Amino acid sequence: MCLGIPGQIVEITDADRLMAMAEVSGVRREVNVACIMDGPLESLIGAWALIHVGFAMSLIDEDEAAKTLEALRGLGEAQETLEAMAQGEAALEGSL
Amino acid sequence: MRYAEEFRDPKAARAHLDAIERLVDEIGATAEKPVHIMEICGGHTHAIFRYGLDRLTPPGIEFIHGPGCPVCVLPMSRIDECVEIAERPEVIFTTFGDAMRVPGSRKSLLQAKADGADIRMVYSPLDALEIARRNPDREVVFFGLGFETTTPSTALSIQQAAREGLENFTVFCNHITVPPPIKALLDDPHMVLDGFVGPGHVSMVIGIHPYDFIAEDYGKPIVVAGFEPLDLLQSVLMVLEQIRDGRAEVENQYSRVVPENGNPVSLAAIADVYEERPSFEWRGLGEIDASGLRIRDHYRDFDAEAKFGVGYGAGMRSVQEPEGCACGEVMTGRIKPFQCPQYGKGCTPEMPLGALMVSSEGACAAYFQYGAIEAAE
Ligand code: SF4
């Protein structure tokens, strides 16, 4: 829960709510980008960010993203985060 | 070097370890008279055990595991209050999965769920917001917990709920802050601490200056660190260099992610939504001044404490820790996890008695997962 996970912003989904689609280890998840905004929202597309419980908290470069992901895999945290994302998805339907 | 092959860059790890060994010699630290370095963050505790850094570094260094695992320091009374809220028929209680198995005095959230409460594990407070939008006839409560890394997420979610005028979304706020317990530990005459490895992701939000008091008022070095094993080794090295030189400074090893002054958007959201509580209870450490946050009156409609009349200010709260549990002593570094009489017997990651056994960031769980064999030897 305390460690972020790197993801790449691929699309702005809701400009009013500052929401964007991020790709995290092959999984798509909508995230809030308020904390990394710097200029027009569209300029975030393609950027890598450290994503923390659904909020992009810090822009990072691609190399840092790869290293961080590797470290998270080593700690078993990457898998845990992806599972939590799936749980969150299921919780919307009330099935978890 | 049992774990050496697991380092991304074994050569760099070796070089760091050699340099650490030389510095420990220079300082004159030994197994009998070690330097005590506290890693504040539970993510660092996990990484230290995962990569065996406590064994790879010379015996002249002793790691003291800090209070930086939010699940581990959550007092039992708060879990009891969660259960109380979750068991109301109108409530959908949403939480990070990490909190599900933390023991309460009656039951954990996991047991409450098994008993029929509508408790849902979510990844993000945004999921809770969405559940609230989809269930206008239910009360959706999000269990807000965590340090400054997580606090912005609930602050921004509450702001969003306010903008939308959602009337069925509240946060049960248990956010806590890193600097006050560090001050409390430094003021504790039993604690011997020579330097700190500071949390990376908390600092990404608050910057490095909230730690100035550690260097200025207490004369101790602190290095804010990333959580890759190489980051940790380098940070330990930087702490040792400061000790050797007689310096006490706040240094930033993780500047690639941690800006000196933190993240302005996050800080503004936190300041808008939260204010300090006079004090907050930490499991194993007791009440610590100004260490917890509450929701400002301005956002009272989104405060589960106000809506359901539970929590601070509502009745007797203090709850006894379970019999034989030594979480407090482990938390303050007085004993190692395996010295707790319950360790591995009445308390395991599957059936935790104390909170330090629940999360992989807790010292007891980390010991159990990676260090049980060595500890028993
Ligand atoms: S072994 Fe269990 S009871 Fe003992 S200190 Fe650790 S978490 Fe607490």
Side-chain angles (χ1 to χ4, degrees), chain B residues 38 64-66 284-285 325-340 343 356 362-364 367:
Chain B
M38 172 175 275
I64 309 282
H65 314 302
L285 300 177
C325 155
C327 291
E329 277 122 303
V330 172
M331 191 87 77
T332 47
R334 269 177 264 255
I335 64 167
K336 295 286 173 198
F338 58 85
Q339 291 167 321
C340 168
Y343 178 85
L356 294 173
C364 293
Y367 249 84

mmCIF file with all atom_site columns, all heavy atoms in Angstrom, chain B residues 38 64-66 284-285 325-340 343 356 362-364 367:
data_model
loop_
_atom_site.group_PDB
_atom_site.id
_atom_site.type_symbol
_atom_site.label_atom_id
_atom_site.label_alt_id
_atom_site.label_comp_id
_atom_site.label_asym_id
_atom_site.label_entity_id
_atom_site.label_seq_id
_atom_site.pdbx_PDB_ins_code
_atom_site.Cartn_x
_atom_site.Cartn_y
_atom_site.Cartn_z
_atom_site.occupancy
_atom_site.B_iso_or_equiv
_atom_site.pdbx_formal_charge
_atom_site.auth_seq_id
_atom_site.auth_comp_id
_atom_site.auth_asym_id
_atom_site.auth_atom_id
_atom_site.pdbx_PDB_model_num
ATOM 1   N N   . MET B 1 38  ? 18.208 3.646   12.236 1.00 0.00 ? 38  MET B N   1
ATOM 2   C CA  . MET B 1 38  ? 16.793 3.313   12.102 1.00 0.00 ? 38  MET B CA  1
ATOM 3   C C   . MET B 1 38  ? 16.327 3.564   10.679 1.00 0.00 ? 38  MET B C   1
ATOM 4   O O   . MET B 1 38  ? 16.481 4.668   10.152 1.00 0.00 ? 38  MET B O   1
ATOM 5   C CB  . MET B 1 38  ? 15.938 4.134   13.065 1.00 0.00 ? 38  MET B CB  1
ATOM 6   C CG  . MET B 1 38  ? 14.434 3.956   12.818 1.00 0.00 ? 38  MET B CG  1
ATOM 7   S SD  . MET B 1 38  ? 13.383 4.795   14.022 1.00 0.00 ? 38  MET B SD  1
ATOM 8   C CE  . MET B 1 38  ? 13.313 3.558   15.327 1.00 0.00 ? 38  MET B CE  1
ATOM 9   N N   . ILE B 1 64  ? 17.585 -0.648  13.379 1.00 0.00 ? 64  ILE B N   1
ATOM 10  C CA  . ILE B 1 64  ? 16.413 -0.573  14.260 1.00 0.00 ? 64  ILE B CA  1
ATOM 11  C C   . ILE B 1 64  ? 15.228 -0.280  13.348 1.00 0.00 ? 64  ILE B C   1
ATOM 12  O O   . ILE B 1 64  ? 15.282 0.646   12.534 1.00 0.00 ? 64  ILE B O   1
ATOM 13  C CB  . ILE B 1 64  ? 16.556 0.576   15.278 1.00 0.00 ? 64  ILE B CB  1
ATOM 14  C CG1 . ILE B 1 64  ? 17.900 0.504   16.010 1.00 0.00 ? 64  ILE B CG1 1
ATOM 15  C CG2 . ILE B 1 64  ? 15.379 0.572   16.251 1.00 0.00 ? 64  ILE B CG2 1
ATOM 16  C CD1 . ILE B 1 64  ? 17.991 -0.521  17.096 1.00 0.00 ? 64  ILE B CD1 1
ATOM 17  N N   . HIS B 1 65  ? 14.186 -1.110  13.462 1.00 0.00 ? 65  HIS B N   1
ATOM 18  C CA  . HIS B 1 65  ? 13.072 -0.987  12.527 1.00 0.00 ? 65  HIS B CA  1
ATOM 19  C C   . HIS B 1 65  ? 12.072 0.036   13.028 1.00 0.00 ? 65  HIS B C   1
ATOM 20  O O   . HIS B 1 65  ? 11.545 -0.088  14.121 1.00 0.00 ? 65  HIS B O   1
ATOM 21  C CB  . HIS B 1 65  ? 12.441 -2.355  12.315 1.00 0.00 ? 65  HIS B CB  1
ATOM 22  C CG  . HIS B 1 65  ? 13.486 -3.412  12.089 1.00 0.00 ? 65  HIS B CG  1
ATOM 23  N ND1 . HIS B 1 65  ? 14.396 -3.310  11.060 1.00 0.00 ? 65  HIS B ND1 1
ATOM 24  C CD2 . HIS B 1 65  ? 13.825 -4.507  12.789 1.00 0.00 ? 65  HIS B CD2 1
ATOM 25  C CE1 . HIS B 1 65  ? 15.231 -4.347  11.124 1.00 0.00 ? 65  HIS B CE1 1
ATOM 26  N NE2 . HIS B 1 65  ? 14.904 -5.078  12.175 1.00 0.00 ? 65  HIS B NE2 1
ATOM 27  N N   . GLY B 1 66  ? 11.843 1.015   12.213 1.00 0.00 ? 66  GLY B N   1
ATOM 28  C CA  . GLY B 1 66  ? 11.050 2.160   12.645 1.00 0.00 ? 66  GLY B CA  1
ATOM 29  C C   . GLY B 1 66  ? 9.550  1.932   12.624 1.00 0.00 ? 66  GLY B C   1
ATOM 30  O O   . GLY B 1 66  ? 9.080  0.854   12.258 1.00 0.00 ? 66  GLY B O   1
ATOM 31  N N   . GLY B 1 284 ? 1.707  0.266   20.363 1.00 0.00 ? 284 GLY B N   1
ATOM 32  C CA  . GLY B 1 284 ? 3.061  0.013   20.862 1.00 0.00 ? 284 GLY B CA  1
ATOM 33  C C   . GLY B 1 284 ? 3.783  1.260   21.326 1.00 0.00 ? 284 GLY B C   1
ATOM 34  O O   . GLY B 1 284 ? 4.776  1.185   22.027 1.00 0.00 ? 284 GLY B O   1
ATOM 35  N N   . LEU B 1 285 ? 3.333  2.423   20.903 1.00 0.00 ? 285 LEU B N   1
ATOM 36  C CA  . LEU B 1 285 ? 4.033  3.656   21.273 1.00 0.00 ? 285 LEU B CA  1
ATOM 37  C C   . LEU B 1 285 ? 3.176  4.574   22.142 1.00 0.00 ? 285 LEU B C   1
ATOM 38  O O   . LEU B 1 285 ? 3.693  5.490   22.776 1.00 0.00 ? 285 LEU B O   1
ATOM 39  C CB  . LEU B 1 285 ? 4.474  4.427   20.017 1.00 0.00 ? 285 LEU B CB  1
ATOM 40  C CG  . LEU B 1 285 ? 5.421  3.701   19.056 1.00 0.00 ? 285 LEU B CG  1
ATOM 41  C CD1 . LEU B 1 285 ? 5.705  4.562   17.835 1.00 0.00 ? 285 LEU B CD1 1
ATOM 42  C CD2 . LEU B 1 285 ? 6.735  3.352   19.743 1.00 0.00 ? 285 LEU B CD2 1
ATOM 43  N N   . CYS B 1 325 ? 1.798  -10.225 24.107 1.00 0.00 ? 325 CYS B N   1
ATOM 44  C CA  . CYS B 1 325 ? 2.240  -9.592  22.872 1.00 0.00 ? 325 CYS B CA  1
ATOM 45  C C   . CYS B 1 325 ? 3.272  -8.525  23.186 1.00 0.00 ? 325 CYS B C   1
ATOM 46  O O   . CYS B 1 325 ? 3.088  -7.723  24.083 1.00 0.00 ? 325 CYS B O   1
ATOM 47  C CB  . CYS B 1 325 ? 1.026  -8.986  22.184 1.00 0.00 ? 325 CYS B CB  1
ATOM 48  S SG  . CYS B 1 325 ? 1.390  -7.621  21.105 1.00 0.00 ? 325 CYS B SG  1
ATOM 49  N N   . ALA B 1 326 ? 4.372  -8.552  22.465 1.00 0.00 ? 326 ALA B N   1
ATOM 50  C CA  . ALA B 1 326 ? 5.473  -7.643  22.779 1.00 0.00 ? 326 ALA B CA  1
ATOM 51  C C   . ALA B 1 326 ? 5.666  -6.600  21.683 1.00 0.00 ? 326 ALA B C   1
ATOM 52  O O   . ALA B 1 326 ? 6.764  -6.098  21.473 1.00 0.00 ? 326 ALA B O   1
ATOM 53  C CB  . ALA B 1 326 ? 6.757  -8.447  22.984 1.00 0.00 ? 326 ALA B CB  1
ATOM 54  N N   . CYS B 1 327 ? 4.582  -6.275  20.976 1.00 0.00 ? 327 CYS B N   1
ATOM 55  C CA  . CYS B 1 327 ? 4.696  -5.353  19.842 1.00 0.00 ? 327 CYS B CA  1
ATOM 56  C C   . CYS B 1 327 ? 5.385  -4.041  20.238 1.00 0.00 ? 327 CYS B C   1
ATOM 57  O O   . CYS B 1 327 ? 6.208  -3.532  19.487 1.00 0.00 ? 327 CYS B O   1
ATOM 58  C CB  . CYS B 1 327 ? 3.321  -5.043  19.267 1.00 0.00 ? 327 CYS B CB  1
ATOM 59  S SG  . CYS B 1 327 ? 2.564  -6.445  18.437 1.00 0.00 ? 327 CYS B SG  1
ATOM 60  N N   . GLY B 1 328 ? 5.027  -3.507  21.392 1.00 0.00 ? 328 GLY B N   1
ATOM 61  C CA  . GLY B 1 328 ? 5.602  -2.228  21.811 1.00 0.00 ? 328 GLY B CA  1
ATOM 62  C C   . GLY B 1 328 ? 7.113  -2.302  21.939 1.00 0.00 ? 328 GLY B C   1
ATOM 63  O O   . GLY B 1 328 ? 7.833  -1.405  21.498 1.00 0.00 ? 328 GLY B O   1
ATOM 64  N N   . GLU B 1 329 ? 7.603  -3.385  22.526 1.00 0.00 ? 329 GLU B N   1
ATOM 65  C CA  . GLU B 1 329 ? 9.049  -3.524  22.702 1.00 0.00 ? 329 GLU B CA  1
ATOM 66  C C   . GLU B 1 329 ? 9.765  -3.714  21.369 1.00 0.00 ? 329 GLU B C   1
ATOM 67  O O   . GLU B 1 329 ? 10.872 -3.233  21.178 1.00 0.00 ? 329 GLU B O   1
ATOM 68  C CB  . GLU B 1 329 ? 9.371  -4.706  23.627 1.00 0.00 ? 329 GLU B CB  1
ATOM 69  C CG  . GLU B 1 329 ? 9.283  -4.355  25.097 1.00 0.00 ? 329 GLU B CG  1
ATOM 70  C CD  . GLU B 1 329 ? 8.283  -5.227  25.802 1.00 0.00 ? 329 GLU B CD  1
ATOM 71  O OE1 . GLU B 1 329 ? 7.098  -5.231  25.354 1.00 0.00 ? 329 GLU B OE1 1
ATOM 72  O OE2 . GLU B 1 329 ? 8.664  -5.908  26.769 1.00 0.00 ? 329 GLU B OE2 1
ATOM 73  N N   . VAL B 1 330 ? 9.116  -4.458  20.461 1.00 0.00 ? 330 VAL B N   1
ATOM 74  C CA  . VAL B 1 330 ? 9.724  -4.650  19.141 1.00 0.00 ? 330 VAL B CA  1
ATOM 75  C C   . VAL B 1 330 ? 9.743  -3.316  18.399 1.00 0.00 ? 330 VAL B C   1
ATOM 76  O O   . VAL B 1 330 ? 10.742 -2.913  17.806 1.00 0.00 ? 330 VAL B O   1
ATOM 77  C CB  . VAL B 1 330 ? 8.960  -5.700  18.314 1.00 0.00 ? 330 VAL B CB  1
ATOM 78  C CG1 . VAL B 1 330 ? 9.485  -5.754  16.879 1.00 0.00 ? 330 VAL B CG1 1
ATOM 79  C CG2 . VAL B 1 330 ? 9.089  -7.075  18.962 1.00 0.00 ? 330 VAL B CG2 1
ATOM 80  N N   . MET B 1 331 ? 8.624  -2.608  18.511 1.00 0.00 ? 331 MET B N   1
ATOM 81  C CA  . MET B 1 331 ? 8.482  -1.337  17.814 1.00 0.00 ? 331 MET B CA  1
ATOM 82  C C   . MET B 1 331 ? 9.553  -0.345  18.231 1.00 0.00 ? 331 MET B C   1
ATOM 83  O O   . MET B 1 331 ? 10.044 0.438   17.427 1.00 0.00 ? 331 MET B O   1
ATOM 84  C CB  . MET B 1 331 ? 7.098  -0.771  18.151 1.00 0.00 ? 331 MET B CB  1
ATOM 85  C CG  . MET B 1 331 ? 6.692  0.383   17.319 1.00 0.00 ? 331 MET B CG  1
ATOM 86  S SD  . MET B 1 331 ? 5.919  -0.198  15.844 1.00 0.00 ? 331 MET B SD  1
ATOM 87  C CE  . MET B 1 331 ? 4.334  -0.632  16.469 1.00 0.00 ? 331 MET B CE  1
ATOM 88  N N   . THR B 1 332 ? 9.926  -0.351  19.490 1.00 0.00 ? 332 THR B N   1
ATOM 89  C CA  . THR B 1 332 ? 10.925 0.598   19.955 1.00 0.00 ? 332 THR B CA  1
ATOM 90  C C   . THR B 1 332 ? 12.332 -0.002  19.926 1.00 0.00 ? 332 THR B C   1
ATOM 91  O O   . THR B 1 332 ? 13.267 0.581   20.449 1.00 0.00 ? 332 THR B O   1
ATOM 92  C CB  . THR B 1 332 ? 10.603 1.065   21.392 1.00 0.00 ? 332 THR B CB  1
ATOM 93  O OG1 . THR B 1 332 ? 10.301 -0.071  22.192 1.00 0.00 ? 332 THR B OG1 1
ATOM 94  C CG2 . THR B 1 332 ? 9.401  1.994   21.408 1.00 0.00 ? 332 THR B CG2 1
ATOM 95  N N   . GLY B 1 333 ? 12.468 -1.175  19.292 1.00 0.00 ? 333 GLY B N   1
ATOM 96  C CA  . GLY B 1 333 ? 13.795 -1.752  19.108 1.00 0.00 ? 333 GLY B CA  1
ATOM 97  C C   . GLY B 1 333 ? 14.380 -2.360  20.371 1.00 0.00 ? 333 GLY B C   1
ATOM 98  O O   . GLY B 1 333 ? 15.555 -2.702  20.411 1.00 0.00 ? 333 GLY B O   1
ATOM 99  N N   . ARG B 1 334 ? 13.575 -2.490  21.434 1.00 0.00 ? 334 ARG B N   1
ATOM 100 C CA  . ARG B 1 334 ? 14.106 -3.040  22.673 1.00 0.00 ? 334 ARG B CA  1
ATOM 101 C C   . ARG B 1 334 ? 14.385 -4.537  22.549 1.00 0.00 ? 334 ARG B C   1
ATOM 102 O O   . ARG B 1 334 ? 15.329 -5.046  23.141 1.00 0.00 ? 334 ARG B O   1
ATOM 103 C CB  . ARG B 1 334 ? 13.146 -2.786  23.831 1.00 0.00 ? 334 ARG B CB  1
ATOM 104 C CG  . ARG B 1 334 ? 13.433 -1.479  24.544 1.00 0.00 ? 334 ARG B CG  1
ATOM 105 C CD  . ARG B 1 334 ? 12.409 -1.258  25.641 1.00 0.00 ? 334 ARG B CD  1
ATOM 106 N NE  . ARG B 1 334 ? 11.358 -0.403  25.127 1.00 0.00 ? 334 ARG B NE  1
ATOM 107 C CZ  . ARG B 1 334 ? 11.224 0.891   25.445 1.00 0.00 ? 334 ARG B CZ  1
ATOM 108 N NH1 . ARG B 1 334 ? 12.034 1.445   26.288 1.00 0.00 ? 334 ARG B NH1 1
ATOM 109 N NH2 . ARG B 1 334 ? 10.284 1.618   24.923 1.00 0.00 ? 334 ARG B NH2 1
ATOM 110 N N   . ILE B 1 335 ? 13.533 -5.227  21.811 1.00 0.00 ? 335 ILE B N   1
ATOM 111 C CA  . ILE B 1 335 ? 13.798 -6.647  21.556 1.00 0.00 ? 335 ILE B CA  1
ATOM 112 C C   . ILE B 1 335 ? 13.611 -6.921  20.061 1.00 0.00 ? 335 ILE B C   1
ATOM 113 O O   . ILE B 1 335 ? 13.004 -6.135  19.343 1.00 0.00 ? 335 ILE B O   1
ATOM 114 C CB  . ILE B 1 335 ? 12.860 -7.586  22.360 1.00 0.00 ? 335 ILE B CB  1
ATOM 115 C CG1 . ILE B 1 335 ? 11.406 -7.388  21.934 1.00 0.00 ? 335 ILE B CG1 1
ATOM 116 C CG2 . ILE B 1 335 ? 13.018 -7.381  23.859 1.00 0.00 ? 335 ILE B CG2 1
ATOM 117 C CD1 . ILE B 1 335 ? 10.461 -8.483  22.430 1.00 0.00 ? 335 ILE B CD1 1
ATOM 118 N N   . LYS B 1 336 ? 14.182 -8.040  19.619 1.00 0.00 ? 336 LYS B N   1
ATOM 119 C CA  . LYS B 1 336 ? 13.991 -8.470  18.233 1.00 0.00 ? 336 LYS B CA  1
ATOM 120 C C   . LYS B 1 336 ? 12.695 -9.285  18.165 1.00 0.00 ? 336 LYS B C   1
ATOM 121 O O   . LYS B 1 336 ? 12.310 -9.912  19.165 1.00 0.00 ? 336 LYS B O   1
ATOM 122 C CB  . LYS B 1 336 ? 15.176 -9.339  17.794 1.00 0.00 ? 336 LYS B CB  1
ATOM 123 C CG  . LYS B 1 336 ? 16.491 -8.574  17.744 1.00 0.00 ? 336 LYS B CG  1
ATOM 124 C CD  . LYS B 1 336 ? 16.512 -7.663  16.536 1.00 0.00 ? 336 LYS B CD  1
ATOM 125 C CE  . LYS B 1 336 ? 17.735 -6.762  16.562 1.00 0.00 ? 336 LYS B CE  1
ATOM 126 N NZ  . LYS B 1 336 ? 17.576 -5.600  15.660 1.00 0.00 ? 336 LYS B NZ  1
ATOM 127 N N   . PRO B 1 337 ? 12.071 -9.337  16.993 1.00 0.00 ? 337 PRO B N   1
ATOM 128 C CA  . PRO B 1 337 ? 10.796 -10.059 16.894 1.00 0.00 ? 337 PRO B CA  1
ATOM 129 C C   . PRO B 1 337 ? 10.830 -11.470 17.472 1.00 0.00 ? 337 PRO B C   1
ATOM 130 O O   . PRO B 1 337 ? 9.923  -11.872 18.193 1.00 0.00 ? 337 PRO B O   1
ATOM 131 C CB  . PRO B 1 337 ? 10.546 -10.091 15.382 1.00 0.00 ? 337 PRO B CB  1
ATOM 132 C CG  . PRO B 1 337 ? 11.187 -8.839  14.887 1.00 0.00 ? 337 PRO B CG  1
ATOM 133 C CD  . PRO B 1 337 ? 12.413 -8.645  15.743 1.00 0.00 ? 337 PRO B CD  1
ATOM 134 N N   . PHE B 1 338 ? 11.924 -12.217 17.194 1.00 0.00 ? 338 PHE B N   1
ATOM 135 C CA  . PHE B 1 338 ? 11.933 -13.617 17.639 1.00 0.00 ? 338 PHE B CA  1
ATOM 136 C C   . PHE B 1 338 ? 12.042 -13.745 19.157 1.00 0.00 ? 338 PHE B C   1
ATOM 137 O O   . PHE B 1 338 ? 11.888 -14.823 19.709 1.00 0.00 ? 338 PHE B O   1
ATOM 138 C CB  . PHE B 1 338 ? 13.049 -14.408 16.940 1.00 0.00 ? 338 PHE B CB  1
ATOM 139 C CG  . PHE B 1 338 ? 14.427 -13.838 17.155 1.00 0.00 ? 338 PHE B CG  1
ATOM 140 C CD1 . PHE B 1 338 ? 15.158 -14.159 18.282 1.00 0.00 ? 338 PHE B CD1 1
ATOM 141 C CD2 . PHE B 1 338 ? 14.979 -12.983 16.211 1.00 0.00 ? 338 PHE B CD2 1
ATOM 142 C CE1 . PHE B 1 338 ? 16.423 -13.624 18.475 1.00 0.00 ? 338 PHE B CE1 1
ATOM 143 C CE2 . PHE B 1 338 ? 16.235 -12.444 16.403 1.00 0.00 ? 338 PHE B CE2 1
ATOM 144 C CZ  . PHE B 1 338 ? 16.965 -12.763 17.540 1.00 0.00 ? 338 PHE B CZ  1
ATOM 145 N N   . GLN B 1 339 ? 12.312 -12.612 19.835 1.00 0.00 ? 339 GLN B N   1
ATOM 146 C CA  . GLN B 1 339 ? 12.352 -12.665 21.298 1.00 0.00 ? 339 GLN B CA  1
ATOM 147 C C   . GLN B 1 339 ? 10.966 -12.489 21.925 1.00 0.00 ? 339 GLN B C   1
ATOM 148 O O   . GLN B 1 339 ? 10.821 -12.628 23.134 1.00 0.00 ? 339 GLN B O   1
ATOM 149 C CB  . GLN B 1 339 ? 13.308 -11.589 21.831 1.00 0.00 ? 339 GLN B CB  1
ATOM 150 C CG  . GLN B 1 339 ? 14.761 -11.905 21.488 1.00 0.00 ? 339 GLN B CG  1
ATOM 151 C CD  . GLN B 1 339 ? 15.697 -10.730 21.711 1.00 0.00 ? 339 GLN B CD  1
ATOM 152 O OE1 . GLN B 1 339 ? 15.352 -9.584  21.436 1.00 0.00 ? 339 GLN B OE1 1
ATOM 153 N NE2 . GLN B 1 339 ? 16.886 -11.015 22.213 1.00 0.00 ? 339 GLN B NE2 1
ATOM 154 N N   . CYS B 1 340 ? 9.984  -12.201 21.095 1.00 0.00 ? 340 CYS B N   1
ATOM 155 C CA  . CYS B 1 340 ? 8.609  -12.125 21.613 1.00 0.00 ? 340 CYS B CA  1
ATOM 156 C C   . CYS B 1 340 ? 8.123  -13.549 21.880 1.00 0.00 ? 340 CYS B C   1
ATOM 157 O O   . CYS B 1 340 ? 8.275  -14.430 21.036 1.00 0.00 ? 340 CYS B O   1
ATOM 158 C CB  . CYS B 1 340 ? 7.686  -11.451 20.594 1.00 0.00 ? 340 CYS B CB  1
ATOM 159 S SG  . CYS B 1 340 ? 5.939  -11.623 21.020 1.00 0.00 ? 340 CYS B SG  1
ATOM 160 N N   . TYR B 1 343 ? 6.047  -15.096 19.085 1.00 0.00 ? 343 TYR B N   1
ATOM 161 C CA  . TYR B 1 343 ? 6.581  -15.160 17.721 1.00 0.00 ? 343 TYR B CA  1
ATOM 162 C C   . TYR B 1 343 ? 6.586  -16.591 17.172 1.00 0.00 ? 343 TYR B C   1
ATOM 163 O O   . TYR B 1 343 ? 7.203  -17.494 17.754 1.00 0.00 ? 343 TYR B O   1
ATOM 164 C CB  . TYR B 1 343 ? 8.007  -14.589 17.712 1.00 0.00 ? 343 TYR B CB  1
ATOM 165 C CG  . TYR B 1 343 ? 8.705  -14.641 16.372 1.00 0.00 ? 343 TYR B CG  1
ATOM 166 C CD1 . TYR B 1 343 ? 8.529  -13.629 15.428 1.00 0.00 ? 343 TYR B CD1 1
ATOM 167 C CD2 . TYR B 1 343 ? 9.557  -15.699 16.051 1.00 0.00 ? 343 TYR B CD2 1
ATOM 168 C CE1 . TYR B 1 343 ? 9.175  -13.668 14.207 1.00 0.00 ? 343 TYR B CE1 1
ATOM 169 C CE2 . TYR B 1 343 ? 10.206 -15.750 14.824 1.00 0.00 ? 343 TYR B CE2 1
ATOM 170 C CZ  . TYR B 1 343 ? 10.017 -14.731 13.907 1.00 0.00 ? 343 TYR B CZ  1
ATOM 171 O OH  . TYR B 1 343 ? 10.650 -14.775 12.695 1.00 0.00 ? 343 TYR B OH  1
ATOM 172 N N   . LEU B 1 356 ? 2.320  -6.170  13.946 1.00 0.00 ? 356 LEU B N   1
ATOM 173 C CA  . LEU B 1 356 ? 3.610  -6.223  13.238 1.00 0.00 ? 356 LEU B CA  1
ATOM 174 C C   . LEU B 1 356 ? 3.747  -7.487  12.403 1.00 0.00 ? 356 LEU B C   1
ATOM 175 O O   . LEU B 1 356 ? 4.677  -7.639  11.631 1.00 0.00 ? 356 LEU B O   1
ATOM 176 C CB  . LEU B 1 356 ? 4.764  -6.180  14.240 1.00 0.00 ? 356 LEU B CB  1
ATOM 177 C CG  . LEU B 1 356 ? 4.925  -4.883  15.021 1.00 0.00 ? 356 LEU B CG  1
ATOM 178 C CD1 . LEU B 1 356 ? 5.980  -5.041  16.095 1.00 0.00 ? 356 LEU B CD1 1
ATOM 179 C CD2 . LEU B 1 356 ? 5.312  -3.758  14.074 1.00 0.00 ? 356 LEU B CD2 1
ATOM 180 N N   . GLY B 1 362 ? 5.761  -5.042  8.192  1.00 0.00 ? 362 GLY B N   1
ATOM 181 C CA  . GLY B 1 362 ? 5.940  -5.125  9.632  1.00 0.00 ? 362 GLY B CA  1
ATOM 182 C C   . GLY B 1 362 ? 7.191  -5.918  9.964  1.00 0.00 ? 362 GLY B C   1
ATOM 183 O O   . GLY B 1 362 ? 7.518  -6.904  9.299  1.00 0.00 ? 362 GLY B O   1
ATOM 184 N N   . ALA B 1 363 ? 7.900  -5.502  11.004 1.00 0.00 ? 363 ALA B N   1
ATOM 185 C CA  . ALA B 1 363 ? 9.168  -6.144  11.339 1.00 0.00 ? 363 ALA B CA  1
ATOM 186 C C   . ALA B 1 363 ? 8.987  -7.638  11.617 1.00 0.00 ? 363 ALA B C   1
ATOM 187 O O   . ALA B 1 363 ? 9.790  -8.460  11.181 1.00 0.00 ? 363 ALA B O   1
ATOM 188 C CB  . ALA B 1 363 ? 9.806  -5.442  12.532 1.00 0.00 ? 363 ALA B CB  1
ATOM 189 N N   . CYS B 1 364 ? 7.946  -8.007  12.333 1.00 0.00 ? 364 CYS B N   1
ATOM 190 C CA  . CYS B 1 364 ? 7.763  -9.430  12.679 1.00 0.00 ? 364 CYS B CA  1
ATOM 191 C C   . CYS B 1 364 ? 7.482  -10.280 11.439 1.00 0.00 ? 364 CYS B C   1
ATOM 192 O O   . CYS B 1 364 ? 8.047  -11.361 11.281 1.00 0.00 ? 364 CYS B O   1
ATOM 193 C CB  . CYS B 1 364 ? 6.648  -9.587  13.703 1.00 0.00 ? 364 CYS B CB  1
ATOM 194 S SG  . CYS B 1 364 ? 7.083  -8.866  15.307 1.00 0.00 ? 364 CYS B SG  1
ATOM 195 N N   . TYR B 1 367 ? 10.716 -10.588 9.427  1.00 0.00 ? 367 TYR B N   1
ATOM 196 C CA  . TYR B 1 367 ? 11.589 -11.579 10.070 1.00 0.00 ? 367 TYR B CA  1
ATOM 197 C C   . TYR B 1 367 ? 11.104 -12.982 9.767  1.00 0.00 ? 367 TYR B C   1
ATOM 198 O O   . TYR B 1 367 ? 11.864 -13.877 9.443  1.00 0.00 ? 367 TYR B O   1
ATOM 199 C CB  . TYR B 1 367 ? 11.567 -11.376 11.593 1.00 0.00 ? 367 TYR B CB  1
ATOM 200 C CG  . TYR B 1 367 ? 12.847 -10.858 12.175 1.00 0.00 ? 367 TYR B CG  1
ATOM 201 C CD1 . TYR B 1 367 ? 13.103 -9.498  12.177 1.00 0.00 ? 367 TYR B CD1 1
ATOM 202 C CD2 . TYR B 1 367 ? 13.794 -11.716 12.725 1.00 0.00 ? 367 TYR B CD2 1
ATOM 203 C CE1 . TYR B 1 367 ? 14.270 -9.003  12.712 1.00 0.00 ? 367 TYR B CE1 1
ATOM 204 C CE2 . TYR B 1 367 ? 14.960 -11.223 13.270 1.00 0.00 ? 367 TYR B CE2 1
ATOM 205 C CZ  . TYR B 1 367 ? 15.198 -9.874  13.266 1.00 0.00 ? 367 TYR B CZ  1
ATOM 206 O OH  . TYR B 1 367 ? 16.347 -9.395  13.791 1.00 0.00 ? 367 TYR B OH  1
#
